[in-house]
């Protein structure tokens, strides 16, 4: 990927990471479509050897190099051990990856990564892949997807914060944490606090107090206080809410990522984005901020209460 003119050879993109079921593949498909509509040439690279079916067209597919079922069968490994082996095998075959990516110069890249949390918190294989991409003049931002339903459980949310912080420190890429599936959050239950409390990760002592009211967590208050102190001391974790169906929501995530990886778009793309967003606003599109998402959530809760009253 290196060339005589380093600036001309730079490639930008996103490393889409997160636990299983957080919506990484759906995000890659949605972001590919969104970016294509504003004129950005996008190549999706599937780095998940367990991803047998994807809604997007794979510009590069790790399955051509190694697949998880083959590794599990031939080496008698479980899914976790198999995924780690696949990433180490990719690390040992960088020439294959470089050849595939070189043929796609001029594209914006979306790397659809595996869902094994260990790969982002302490194992080095995938981190080494990102380091090698940087040597090839790739400028990536990590987009860490977290299912928004964790907001409805204070204990799980603290664990998500710890995982997100550990991932940020281990992966060592510019980082954008995303609360995915915001369109489904009302199905998970009532939030203890306003949505901006979770996205901005405000004073977490309130979360500890809320947990202490639960008999199960009462005995672990000291532990939770210490975990919260670590998160607040680093002051790194915050979230961008995402609903893949909402163009405005996708735009906010895109702009956060572009800021993180240094991508600078041209006038033509800017005009295409304005045209797309004006069309979205004309299509009864009202969600311009986290507050708007919160309002939608509150309204759905009020409607549910009204329906219960009517039934009574």
């Amino acid at each position: 990927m290196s060339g005589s003119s380093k600036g001309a050879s730079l490639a930008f993109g996103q490393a889409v990471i997160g636990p299983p079921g957080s919506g990484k593949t759906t995000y890659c498909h949605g972001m590919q479509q969104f970016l294509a509509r504003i004129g950005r040439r996008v190549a999706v690279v599937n780095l998940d050897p367990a991803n047998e079916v994807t809604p997007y067209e794979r510009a590069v597919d790790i399955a051509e190099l190694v697949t998880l079922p083959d590794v599990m069968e031939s080496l008698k490994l479980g899914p976790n051990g198999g995924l780690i082996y696949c990433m180490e095998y990719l690390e040992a075959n960088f020439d294959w990856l470089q050849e595939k990516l070189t043929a796609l110069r001029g594209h914006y890249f979306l790397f659809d990564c595996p869902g094994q949390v260990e790969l982002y918190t302490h194992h080095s294989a995938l981190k080494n892949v990102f380091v090698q991409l940087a040597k090839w003049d790739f400028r990536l931002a990590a987009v860490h997807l977290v299912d928004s339903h964790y907001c409805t459980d204070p204990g799980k949310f603290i664990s998500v914060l710890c995982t997100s912080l550990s991932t940020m420190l281990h992966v060592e890429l510019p980082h954008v944490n995303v609360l995915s599936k915001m369109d489904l959050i009302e199905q998970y239950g009532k939030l203890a606090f306003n949505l901006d409390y979770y996205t901005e990760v405000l004073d977490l002592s309130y979360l500890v107090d809320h947990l202490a009211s639960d008999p199960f967590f009462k005995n672990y208050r000291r532990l939770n206080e210490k975990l919260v102190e670590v998160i607040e001391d680093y002051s790194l974790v915050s979230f961008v809410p995402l609903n893949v169906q909402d163009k405005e929501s996708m735009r906010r995530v895109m702009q956060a990522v572009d800021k993180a990886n240094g991508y600078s778009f041209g006038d033509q793309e800017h005009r295409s984005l304005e045209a797309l967003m004006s069309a979205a606003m004309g299509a009864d599109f009202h969600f311009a901020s986290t507050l708007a998402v919160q309002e939608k959530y509150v309204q759905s809760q009020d409607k549910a209460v009204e329906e219960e009253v009517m039934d009574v």
Side-chain angles (χ1 to χ4, degrees):
M1 280 288 168
S2 59
S4 58
S5 175
K6 186 173 182 180
S9 67
L10 285 179
F12 292 87
Q14 306 177 23
V16 183
I17 63 179
S22 57
K24 296 184 296 298
T25 297
T26 300
Y27 171 86
C28 286
H29 186 219
M31 184 57 73
Q32 179 191 39
Q33 291 181 316
F34 182 83
L35 293 175
R37 291 187 65 180
I38 61 174
R40 200 178 296 189
R41 289 203 303 161
V42 182
V44 185
V45 179
N46 176 43
L47 292 184
D48 186 354
N51 233 352
E52 297 180 356
V53 180
T54 57
Y56 54 76
E57 182 180 349
R58 311 178 190 196
V60 180
D61 190 357
I62 193 176
E64 297 177 16
L65 179 70
V66 64
T67 66
L68 181 60
D70 288 345
V71 168
M72 291 173 61
E73 182 179 352
S74 60
L75 300 179
K76 307 304 179 187
L77 294 172
N80 289 343
L83 272 174
I84 289 176
Y85 178 88
C86 289
M87 290 300 101
E88 291 175 341
Y89 191 78
L90 174 62
E91 186 183 359
N93 289 274
F94 277 145
D95 54 339
W96 172 86
L97 183 61
Q98 185 175 23
E99 180 183 350
K100 293 290 185 180
L101 296 178
T102 300
L104 295 166
R105 283 186 61 173
H107 285 74
Y108 183 92
F109 291 87
L110 298 173
F111 292 90
D112 189 0
C113 299
Q116 189 177 0
V117 175
E118 293 93 327
L119 291 171
Y120 310 122
T121 56
H122 59 272
H123 197 270
S124 62
L126 194 58
K127 174 185 175 181
N128 291 340
V129 172
F130 297 149
V131 169
Q132 185 61 53
L133 288 170
K135 292 179 181 178
W136 294 337
D137 292 331
F138 276 80
R139 298 296 177 263
L140 300 181
V143 178
H144 184 214
L145 299 182
V146 174
D147 197 316
S148 60
H149 88 266
Y150 289 116
C151 293
T152 61
D153 186 320
K156 289 181 179 178
F157 187 64
I158 288 178
S159 70
V160 160
L161 292 173
C162 292
T163 302
S164 297
L165 178 60
S166 177
T167 300
M168 294 175 77
L169 297 175
H170 180 71
V171 171
E172 296 181 348
L173 284 175
H175 218 86
V176 177
N177 291 304
V178 174
L179 283 177
S180 63
K181 305 180 185 179
M182 289 304 302
D183 51 319
L184 303 177
I185 192 169
E186 61 264 24
Q187 299 180 11
Y188 300 134
K190 188 172 176 57
L191 298 180
F193 306 99
N194 286 339
L195 187 61
D196 59 352
Y197 177 87
Y198 300 93
T199 58
E200 301 303 324
V201 189
L202 302 175
D203 188 350
L204 295 178
S205 62
Y206 293 106
L207 207 61
V208 175
D209 291 340
H210 188 76
L211 272 174
S213 64
D214 187 322
F216 178 80
F217 288 104
K218 188 174 183 180
N219 295 330
Y220 300 97
R221 182 186 181 103
R222 185 68 177 156
L223 172 63
N224 286 320
E225 285 176 344
K226 290 301 180 183
L227 291 174
V228 162
E229 282 181 18
V230 171
I231 295 164
E232 292 185 329
D233 284 347
Y234 276 95
S235 191
L236 288 175
V237 185
S238 62
F239 295 94
V240 180
L242 171 67
N243 172 7
V244 175
Q245 306 299 324
D246 284 354
K247 294 182 180 67
E248 176 64 25
S249 178
M250 291 293 283
R251 181 187 67 83
R252 289 198 304 273
V253 173
M254 180 200 74
Q255 290 180 331
V257 174
D258 285 350
K259 183 178 179 181
N261 66 14
Y263 182 89
S264 178
F265 52 76
D267 292 338
Q268 180 57 49
E269 181 174 316
H270 184 64
R271 288 194 293 271
S272 299
L273 178 60
E274 287 184 339
L276 177 62
M277 298 318 301
S278 63
M281 294 301 290
D284 195 30
F285 192 80
H286 303 298
F287 310 110
S289 65
T290 302
L291 179 60
V293 178
Q294 172 68 18
E295 288 174 352
K296 180 186 176 187
Y297 168 77
V298 171
Q299 288 169 4
S300 67
Q301 292 292 319
D302 292 344
K303 184 177 179 182
V305 172
E306 289 176 3
E307 289 176 350
E308 289 180 5
V309 172
M310 292 289 288
D311 290 341
V312 174

